[in-house]
Amino acid sequence: MSSALDRGTRRRVSASLPTFPWDTIRAAKERAAEHPGGLIDLSVGTPVDPTPGPVRDALAAASDAHGYPQVWGTPALRAAILEHMTGRWGAPELTEESVLPVIGTKELVASLPSQLGLGPDSLIVIPECAYPTYRVGALLCGARVQVTDDPDRVEGEPDLIWINSPANPSGRVLSIDEMRAWVQLARRTGAVLASDECYGEFSWQVEAVSVLDTRVSDGDIGGLLSCMSMSKRSNMAGYRAGFVVGDPALTSELLAIRKHAGMIVPAPIAEAMRVALGDAGQVAEQRERYRRRREVLMPALTGAGFRIDHSEGSIYLWATRGQDCRETLDWLAERGILCSPGDFYVEGHSDHVRIGLTAPDDRIVEAARRLSSGN
């Protein structure tokens, strides 16, 4: 008997998607795990440091959540997001209609094209070196994709443009002028400009700015969306907590759709988010952790023959040994270190790998030792 998926005109949506990237490095992970000192997994961006105590306390205190939460979040959470965006990210004064909590920003990235009503006649622009889920979101709605880092090279009139600064995987940080150029393109063409700013708190050499910053937007947030995550700044990846802020016409449309779909941040998570947004001290502490790890890994990598490109921000190092990324993957795996190969993030060949700072301090030190000693 045929299954419901195989019957008639039904289709397997997953067949339109690429192989999940991390499935392709399973053999390298197994090889790295055979190292006498154990596996040091620097391939993923999942935080390893504790969720701040006040955030956990807030989650527990709000755990008597017997009623359904609001898709729009609580008034207190919306107020905290607005204060965060104006106080930390230089956004103009906004109303709460510009705010929408989301169930982690990966969910938003994947679903935004569909929720904006895009389809086969739509064009989505993504960076040349990019988080894979931007493309996945386009594939899920059947839209066309153009890959470019230059607004002057965009062909036609896009419906949605993704930018990412500091970038995953490269750590590249866009300047104010570069962001303004994308804003100007979006205004000329009527595109929605969505800026993924999940790594904004981790900028090492230059200032990271939001697309809503008045120096970028001139105080006009029409067509603009800033996408923020709690995962990295507050070690809340397991909470699945994020938010989008921007053009109220867009956020209100997303809210209306998400009410029907039941895409709701749970009430205890919303309260934990509110507390985390008010605690700049824990963000500074986490930034210092990543800075220390970066200062340990960078010289070890360069001493082992790597060149580090971009990496002005984020929690990764974008590194190359001048060979195919899969050869570097294997070279590191022999030393018990797992990275993510650059071909996860670009079309075709790459000679770069992404090396995360997401391991405890002692494992970062051990990775540096293995790189320096060659074993």
Side-chain angles (χ1 to χ4, degrees):
M1 181 180 295
S2 64
S3 71
L5 278 172
D6 295 328
R7 207 172 300 139
T9 60
R10 298 178 184 130
R11 64 188 182 93
R12 294 182 183 270
V13 175
S14 63
S16 68
L17 304 178
T19 301
F20 187 64
W22 274 264
D23 290 346
T24 72
I25 62 170
R26 187 175 296 133
K29 184 173 184 178
E30 291 172 355
R31 185 160 55 254
E34 294 172 356
H35 190 278
L39 168 69
I40 302 174
D41 191 348
L42 305 181
S43 71
V44 292
T46 188
V48 297
D49 302 301
T51 304
V55 174
R56 287 180 281 162
D57 291 344
L59 180 76
S63 62
D64 183 16
H66 45 269
Y68 288 113
Q70 292 181 310
V71 177
W72 200 18
T74 62
L77 173 58
R78 296 196 295 272
I81 293 172
L82 288 173
E83 182 176 350
H84 176 69
M85 292 306 297
T86 55
R88 172 65 183 89
W89 293 110
E93 292 297 322
L94 305 170
T95 66
E96 62 179 10
E97 285 74 23
S98 289
V99 171
L100 182 63
V102 296
I103 314 165
T105 43
K106 181 169 186 175
E107 169 265 305
L108 176 72
V109 171
S111 63
L112 182 62
S114 297
Q115 292 183 23
L116 291 176
L118 305 188
D121 295 330
S122 306
L123 175 64
I124 298 175
V125 175
I126 66 173
E128 293 176 15
C129 181
Y131 180 46
T133 310
Y134 304 136
R135 185 181 294 276
V136 167
L139 291 171
L140 287 172
C141 74
R144 294 175 293 118
V145 173
Q146 184 183 354
V147 176
T148 184
D149 290 331
D150 184 350
D152 291 333
R153 297 183 63 184
V154 172
E155 300 170 358
E157 295 191 349
D159 298 279
L160 173 63
I161 301 166
W162 279 108
I163 58 174
N164 177 206
S165 177
N168 175 15
S170 69
R172 181 185 175 202
V173 177
L174 297 178
S175 68
I176 289 173
D177 286 344
E178 287 173 316
M179 295 191 83
R180 285 180 63 86
W182 284 111
V183 170
Q184 289 161 8
L185 172 66
R187 288 176 177 164
R188 287 197 306 271
T189 60
V192 173
L193 176 59
S195 181
D196 182 347
E197 298 168 1
C198 294
Y199 296 92
E201 295 289 1
F202 306 108
S203 184
W204 312 113
Q205 296 168 285
V206 294
E207 181 189 14
V209 297
S210 171
V211 74
L212 300 187
D213 189 309
T214 55
R215 293 172 294 173
V216 175
S217 67
D218 294 324
D220 177 4
I221 62 171
L224 306 181
L225 294 173
S226 167
C227 307
M228 294 268 185
S229 170
M230 307 301 295
S231 297
K232 309 302 192 294
R233 71 181 297 279
S234 300
N235 296 326
M236 292 173 64
Y239 286 55
R240 308 313 305 133
F243 54 92
V244 59
V245 182
D247 185 342
L250 295 173
T251 52
S252 296
E253 173 67 7
L254 296 175
L255 174 61
I257 293 166
R258 295 166 78 89
K259 284 180 178 178
H260 285 286
M263 302 176 80
I264 311 171
V265 174
I269 303 296
E271 179 59 11
M273 287 175 65
R274 182 192 69 79
V275 170
L277 286 169
D279 188 353
Q282 56 87 15
V283 179
E285 182 179 353
Q286 187 58 44
R287 187 163 49 240
E288 178 61 17
R289 290 188 183 114
Y290 285 131
R291 184 195 62 77
R292 290 196 308 266
R293 293 168 188 165
R294 188 173 185 271
E295 291 183 354
V296 170
L297 267 185
M298 286 184 72
L301 286 165
T302 55
F306 285 81
R307 185 185 75 240
I308 298 172
D309 292 328
H310 297 303
S311 306
E312 302 97 359
S314 83
I315 56 175
Y316 311 108
L317 297 173
W318 188 235
T320 179
R321 298 180 76 235
Q323 62 186 175
D324 184 85
C325 61
R326 295 282 166 162
E327 293 181 45
T328 304
L329 172 73
D330 292 338
W331 186 90
L332 287 168
E334 290 296 326
R335 290 151 180 82
I337 301 169
L338 188 67
C339 67
S340 56
D343 58 18
F344 281 11
Y345 311 100
V346 301
E347 292 182 318
H349 164 81
S350 173
D351 61 2
H352 282 74
V353 295
R354 191 192 76 174
I355 298 174
L357 306 177
T358 48
D361 291 349
D362 63 329
R363 301 306 279 165
I364 293 290
V365 170
E366 171 62 11
R369 187 200 65 77
R370 294 181 192 179
L371 289 165
S372 300
S373 66
N375 56 54

